Structure formats: structure tokens, C-alpha cells
């Protein structure tokens, strides 16, 4: 099924996944807020990644670095000088556009872009300036004086604090190569043209892991982390394989630090686009930080006694982009019993609400009382349980389908007799009766898949 972005945006707002930032003031381009359901999905995606990356591994350590770091870090990393995209400006409106996007190519080559854009007009029909680079770092000032000496940057990627803490983690954890450092956190990019809903934003959250290795094992490790990303998306996030593909970066497309880069593309409504990058950053980062900081970040192998600067294989994915992929991948419009429904077929363990509980009729105290008891028990176990006694049962099911709740439990008059309840499955719409004492283990089993 071809998913349309408008449908995803509308569902996101209607059902509390994603709202425009400062909406009552007209919003702010490139910034979004997550609503009650969005924040649950975000948290579930982050814990799935943290579990797979940190808790299930023995040699990957988590950190949570500051958003504002010493600006020298960004000088050493090349971001102050090189973190830019080619851009053109509408000479009348002064609106700026990504030159590579207007030219329809994946390249940062200014000469090539200038040639392709020679006769191209801006979306408003005006002449365009020559392409030039534009730095995407967001600036701020530390302390009361806003002069150059006080200038600082909001981090453009989370990786920075990982490199500057390489020695701290190695020493505090007595870590031996190979080992990784993982981090989840906000990053800021002054994107020229934020667009496609939460696909390209100016405040984003990244999940990144830098794996420090002996250069000898570079190729095998690179392959392992490519595979990790692919398997994670399919097994832990439940994304359909058909919606994913590989994209290897050409030389002119790679970031300034990367020797090799493979992206996993997801079929977003606007076309197949980057979701998750795996990069071979070689010794670029640790060498530069050694040079600029004057601290030796090399490693001595205990067995061979050789000294070298570790190479880094990086795995990096945006939380918001992943959430958008999950919504697009799971959004389904289908007809069941002559009735059209919208259903989010999200992997049950990631769904914002795990189960909804309803008394068949809300004006029958004995039904409500039993339903409330079951609701309480389920809530104590699963946390995210919704009480829904509004409208007829069909309408309640549709409401839960639309937010991806995997199970709905209904308490009816038979329940009063024999303690059985109806449990209805979101994807198959099949209903079965089970004893209320079996509910928790039934749901636990399905969530573990
Ligand atoms: P793009 O080519 O889309 O600008 P990138 O190659 O600059 O992305 P990286 O620097 O490798 O991206 O960032 C790692 C991940 O962070 C990306 O794979 C993506 O999921 C996410 N990401 C990067 N930029 C943005 C953004 N502006 N908005 C949302 N997510 C982003």
C-alpha cells in the first residue's frame, strides 16, 4: 500500500503522536513536539536500541554527554570548517534552498551543481544565486557577553562527546579494544530547508555508537555493524524488508570524515531516503582530537605491544526518522467486514498502549466494577493500558486500531458468570474468550515475539 505523508501527518496530530512546535504561535520550521503517544513510541524505540546495543552486549558502554561542548572539539572534528551543504539563494525572496536537491543529484560538487542549475529558477520562479556552502552549526554564547570568545555551538551530532570521553571510558571501565561507546541524545542542524514532516528537522535526536578497533579488523567489523542495523530494523522494529534497501555512498557524497559509508534507505512517502548510516571513520576523529587537544588518544595492544590510533566504525540513526519510518511502515487502510479501518500494525512490544480495557456497557455497575479490577491488574503489569468505555464496541476497536494497540479486552455479562473475557487481536480482528486469570501471561507471550 502506498502511504501518503498527509495521512501520516493527520493521524499524528489527531491521535497525539506528533505536534507542530509552538503551534498556537504559527509553529517554527524544522521543530516538532511529541505528544502522549509519540513520546511512548520514542521511548520504546530508544529502549529497544539501548537493549540491543548496550545491555545485550558486553563491550559497549553508554554515556550521556553535554549538548554544548568545548568549541575546540568542533574545530578538531572538522564541523566548524566543513559541516555544510551547498546552497543557492532566491535573489528576490532571499529564501535558501539545497543546491543538490534542486539539481536532483547526490553531490556536493559546486562546479557540477553550478552547471546543472544554470537555467533553473527558484520554486517562486526567480533567478538563483551561485551555489555556495552554508554552515549548519547552531550557535550560542556562553555567559553574558556575546562576543567571539564566548561563542559555542549546539552539537550537530552526538559523536563528539564519545571521542572526547574515549580515554575516560577506557580507563574507568578497564575496556580493551574492540569496544564501543553508545549515546542517545539531541543534536541540532541549521538545515536550509527542513521538510517532509519529521524527516528533516533542525532539532533531532540521534542514537549513535562508535566502535573502536584495531585497523586490522576494519572490514569485518564494518560488515558486522551494517548487518546489525539491518537486523535490528527487521527483528526489533518489525519493519518490512521490502521497505528497506542499501545505498552505498559514492566518494563525492561521503561526509568529510568517512572512508566508506552505507546507508539503509527506507521507502518514505517522498521516496527511498536515508534512515540509518554505517560509516568507516578510520582514525580521523581520534587523530584530530589528539592533534588539537594535545592528549595522546592512541592505544597500546597488550599482546603485540604495538601502539596505534584506533579506527572507528560508526552506527548512527535518527530517532524521529525511525519513528516516521515505523508510522509509514505500519499504517494500513483496509476493509474488514465491509468496514474501512485504519490500523497501525506496529510491533506489539513497541506500541504506545499495550492493551485497552472496556466494560461492554458503561451504565452497568457490576460490569464496570469487574472491568476496573482487570484494568488495575493489567496496568500494574504493563503500565500503558487504556480505559475505554465510550461509544459502541466497534468504535472502540477502531480507535485502538488507529493507534496500534495490539489487544482490546471486553468484559461482558458472561464474564460475571465464569470470569472469562473477550480478547481481540488488532491485526486479525479475531476475538477469543479466555479466563481473566490468563490475560497477563497471554499478553506477555505475544509481546515477547
Ligand atoms: P542526510 O543526508 O539525510 O542529511 P546525514 O548523512 O547528514 O543525513 P548523519 O550525519 O549520518 O546524516 O546522521 C545520522 C542519522 O541522523 C541519519 O541517518 C538520520 O537518521 C538522522 N538525521 C540526520 N540529519 C537529520 C535531520 N536533519 N533530521 C532528522 N534526522 C536526521
Amino acid at each position: 500500500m502506498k502511504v501518503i505523508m498527509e495521512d501520516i501527518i493527520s493521524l499524528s496530530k489527531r491521535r497525539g503522536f506528533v505536534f507542530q512546535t509552538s503551534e498556537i504561535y504559527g509553529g517554527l520550521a524544522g521543530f516538532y513536539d511529541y505528544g502522549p503517544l509519540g513520546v511512548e513510541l520514542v521511548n520504546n524505540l530508544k529502549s529497544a536500541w539501548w537493549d540491543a546495543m548496550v545491555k545485550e552486549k558486553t563491550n559497549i558502554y553508554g554515556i550521556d554527554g553535554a549538548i554544548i561542548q568545548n568549541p575546540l572539539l568542533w574545530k578538531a572534528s572538522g564541523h566548524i570548517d566543513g559541516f555544510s551543504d551547498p546552497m543557492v539563494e532566491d535573489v528576490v525572496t532571499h529564501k535558501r534552498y539545497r543546491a543538490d536537491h534542486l539539481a536532483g543529484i547526490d553531490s556536493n560538487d559546486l562546479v557540477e551543481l553550478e552547471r546543472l542549475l544554470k537555467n533553473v529558477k527558484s520554486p517562486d520562479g526567480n533567478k538563483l544565486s551561485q551555489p555556495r556552502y552554508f554552515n549548519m552549526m547552531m550557535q550560542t554564547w556562553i555567559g553574558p557577553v556575546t562576543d567571539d570568545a564566548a561563542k559555542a555551538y549546539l552539537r550537530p551530532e552526538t559523536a563528539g562527546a564519545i571521542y572526547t570521553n574515549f580515554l575516560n571510558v577506557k580507563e574507568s571501565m578497564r575496556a580493551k579494544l574492540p569496544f564501543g561507546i553508545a549515546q542517545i541524545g539531541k543534536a541540532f542542524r541549521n538545515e536550509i530547508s527542513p521538510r517532509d514532516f519529521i524527516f528533516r528537522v533542525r532539532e533531532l535526536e540521534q542514537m549513535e555508537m562508535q566502535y573502536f578497533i584495531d585497523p586490522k579488523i576494519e572490514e569485518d567489523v564494518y560488515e558486522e555493524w551494517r548487518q546489525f542495523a539491518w537486523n535490528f530494523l527487521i527483528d526489533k522494529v518489525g519493519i518490512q524488508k521490502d521497505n528497506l534497501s542499501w545505498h552505498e555512498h559514492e566518494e563525492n557524497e561521503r561526509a568529510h570524515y568517512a572512508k566508506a559509508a552505507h546507508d539503509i534507505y527506507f521507502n518514505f512517502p517522498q521516496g527511498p531516503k536515508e534512515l540509518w548510516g554505517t560509516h568507516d571513520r578510520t582514525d580521523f576523529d581520534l587523530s584530530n582530537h589528539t592533534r588539537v587537544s594535545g592528549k595522546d588518544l592512541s592505544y597500546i595492544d597488550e599482546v603485540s605491544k604495538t601502539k596505534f590510533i584506533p579506527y572507528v566504525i560508526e552506527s548512527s540513526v535518527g530517532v524521529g526518522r525511525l519513528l516516521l519510518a515505523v508510522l509509514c511502515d505500519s499504517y494500513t487502510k483496509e476493509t474488514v467486514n465491509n468496514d474501512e479501518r485504519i490500523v497501525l500494525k506496529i510491533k506489539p512490544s513497541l506500541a504506545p498502549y499495550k492493551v485497552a480495557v472496556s466494560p461492554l456497557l458503561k451504565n452497568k455497575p457490576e460490569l464496570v466494577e469487574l472491568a476496573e479490577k482487570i484494568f488495575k491488574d493489567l496496568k500494574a503489569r504493563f503500565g500503558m493500558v487504556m480505559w475505554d468505555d465510550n461509544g459502541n464496541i466497534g468504535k472502540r476497536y477502531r480507535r485502538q486500531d488507529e493507534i496500534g494497540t495490539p489487544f482490546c479486552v471486553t468484559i461482558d455479562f458472561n464474564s460475571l458468570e465464569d470470569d472469562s473475557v473477550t480478547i481481540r487481536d488488532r491485526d486479525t480482528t479475531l476475538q477469543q474468550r479466555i479466563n481473566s486469570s490468563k490475560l497477563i501471561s497471554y499478553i506477555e507471550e505475544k509481546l515477547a515475539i
Side-chain angles (χ1 to χ4, degrees):
M1 191 191 102
K2 176 100 182 89
V3 175
I4 305 166
M5 192 68 101
E6 277 64 41
D7 286 342
I8 301 294
I9 297 173
S10 148
L11 176 90
S12 294
K13 175 162 160 70
R14 197 169 67 245
R15 303 310 312 273
F17 282 94
V18 184
F19 306 128
Q20 216 184 355
T21 285
S22 344
E23 192 181 338
I24 59 168
Y25 291 106
L28 188 64
F31 297 88
Y32 287 89
D33 297 335
Y34 289 99
L37 296 202
V39 72
E40 290 303 324
L41 185 48
V42 159
N43 287 342
N44 294 342
L45 288 168
K46 291 199 288 196
S47 10
W49 185 90
W50 196 261
D51 285 352
M53 195 55 102
V54 179
K55 295 195 180 165
E56 289 166 21
K57 303 261 190 246
T58 51
N59 63 345
I60 298 194
Y61 308 97
I63 64 162
D64 184 9
I67 284 174
I68 296 181
Q69 299 274 332
N70 188 316
L72 283 174
L73 188 166
W74 306 116
K75 187 77 190 151
S77 68
H79 281 91
I80 289 179
D81 299 323
F83 188 56
S84 43
D85 280 326
M87 191 190 71
V88 283
E89 193 169 293
D90 178 318
V91 296
V92 179
T93 63
H94 300 292
K95 281 192 210 155
R96 289 168 173 171
Y97 303 95
R98 281 275 290 267
D100 51 336
H101 293 162
L102 281 188
I105 55 166
D106 269 335
S107 167
N108 287 346
D109 183 336
L110 286 186
V111 178
E112 174 72 352
L113 289 167
E114 194 176 342
R115 189 182 65 74
L116 287 170
L117 292 174
K118 211 164 169 194
N119 298 315
V120 173
K121 294 260 188 300
S122 78
D124 291 325
N126 302 317
K127 202 168 162 325
L128 290 169
S129 69
Q130 285 198 332
R132 67 178 180 84
Y133 284 109
F134 169 81
N135 196 292
M136 294 203 291
M137 300 271 279
M138 288 226 191
Q139 286 181 26
T140 186
W141 287 267
I142 296 171
V145 185
T146 53
D147 63 7
D148 270 1
K151 208 194 287 180
Y153 302 91
L154 306 192
R155 62 182 176 196
E157 59 177 23
T158 52
I162 289 184
Y163 299 119
T164 51
N165 280 302
F166 169 71
L167 282 185
N168 285 335
V169 173
K170 179 168 90 69
E171 276 154 31
S172 59
M173 303 308 293
R174 290 176 290 116
K176 305 233 178 332
L177 251 51
F179 72 90
I181 304 180
Q183 186 176 201
I184 300 178
K186 293 273 177 127
F188 299 81
R189 297 180 176 189
N190 208 352
E191 295 277 357
I192 299 151
S193 41
R195 81 206 109 89
D196 299 319
F197 191 36
I198 53 172
F199 176 82
R200 186 171 300 286
V201 289
R202 290 177 166 142
E203 175 176 338
L204 55 137
E205 190 159 28
Q206 290 184 311
M207 305 196 278
E208 293 201 299
M209 191 282 305
Q210 270 65 38
Y211 202 66
F212 298 92
I213 56 165
D214 183 327
K216 286 201 229 71
I217 58 171
E218 178 189 19
E219 278 172 29
D220 289 348
V221 173
Y222 184 69
E223 284 312 309
E224 269 170 41
W225 287 108
R226 276 181 59 189
Q227 209 49 55
F228 172 90
W230 184 266
N231 293 345
F232 181 87
L233 289 173
I234 290 168
D235 301 338
K236 307 282 170 127
V237 187
I239 291 189
Q240 302 167 72
K241 217 186 252 169
D242 290 353
N243 273 332
L244 301 174
S245 55
W246 282 109
H247 172 78
E248 182 175 3
H249 282 215
E250 300 289 335
E251 202 177 330
N252 59 8
E253 204 189 324
R254 285 202 289 269
H256 59 278
Y257 48 74
K259 173 175 162 192
H262 276 84
D263 291 337
I264 296 177
Y265 273 25
F266 175 80
N267 287 336
F268 288 102
Q270 75 275 25
K273 299 272 176 214
E274 170 175 347
L275 171 61
W276 191 321
T278 305
H279 309 128
D280 180 350
R281 295 177 71 134
T282 67
D283 61 358
F284 175 89
D285 302 274
L286 292 186
S287 295
N288 281 320
H289 290 303
T290 297
R291 183 173 52 76
V292 177
S293 71
K295 290 270 179 305
D296 183 3
L297 303 181
S298 58
Y299 181 88
I300 299 173
D301 185 274
E302 275 177 5
V303 181
S304 65
K305 304 284 178 237
T306 48
K307 184 175 172 180
F308 56 89
I309 302 253
Y311 268 31
V312 168
I313 304 297
E314 165 181 80
S315 182
S316 176
V317 57
V319 178
R321 234 181 242 191
L322 183 56
L323 180 136
L324 180 61
V326 169
L327 291 182
C328 296
D329 187 73
S330 61
Y331 184 94
T332 315
K333 252 187 203 158
E334 61 186 20
T335 306
V336 184
N337 304 330
N338 294 326
D339 200 12
E340 191 173 85
R341 69 165 184 163
I342 293 171
V343 51
L344 283 187
K345 296 188 174 177
I346 299 182
K347 194 173 167 62
S349 57
L350 296 177
Y353 279 94
K354 305 299 179 231
V355 50
V357 177
S358 297
L360 183 65
L361 300 169
K362 67 173 170 186
N363 54 2
K364 295 283 171 213
E366 61 277 35
L367 289 185
V368 174
E369 197 184 322
L370 180 57
E372 276 175 352
K373 184 190 170 303
I374 290 174
F375 172 77
K376 257 196 187 155
D377 291 347
L378 292 179
K379 190 143 178 67
R381 171 63 189 85
F382 299 110
M384 296 306 292
V385 180
M386 195 182 274
W387 174 264
D388 192 355
D389 60 7
N390 219 327
N392 67 38
I393 284 289
K395 281 216 182 93
R396 296 178 202 171
Y397 287 162
R398 295 290 170 271
R399 265 201 299 274
Q400 297 304 326
D401 286 347
E402 231 191 9
I403 60 170
T405 309
F407 308 104
C408 291
V409 171
T410 305
I411 288 82
D412 57 20
F413 291 103
N414 286 343
S415 314
L416 300 173
E417 305 291 313
D418 62 4
D419 242 357
S420 70
V421 296
T422 305
I423 184 157
R424 182 251 192 195
D425 182 285
R426 174 195 72 195
D427 298 342
T428 61
T429 75
L430 292 177
Q431 302 178 27
Q432 53 173 303
R433 285 201 84 84
I434 64 171
N435 192 280
S436 67
S437 62
K438 302 244 160 64
L439 268 176
I440 289 185
S441 57
Y442 178 91
I443 296 169
E444 271 174 349
E445 216 171 277
K446 302 274 179 180
L447 293 181
I449 297 170

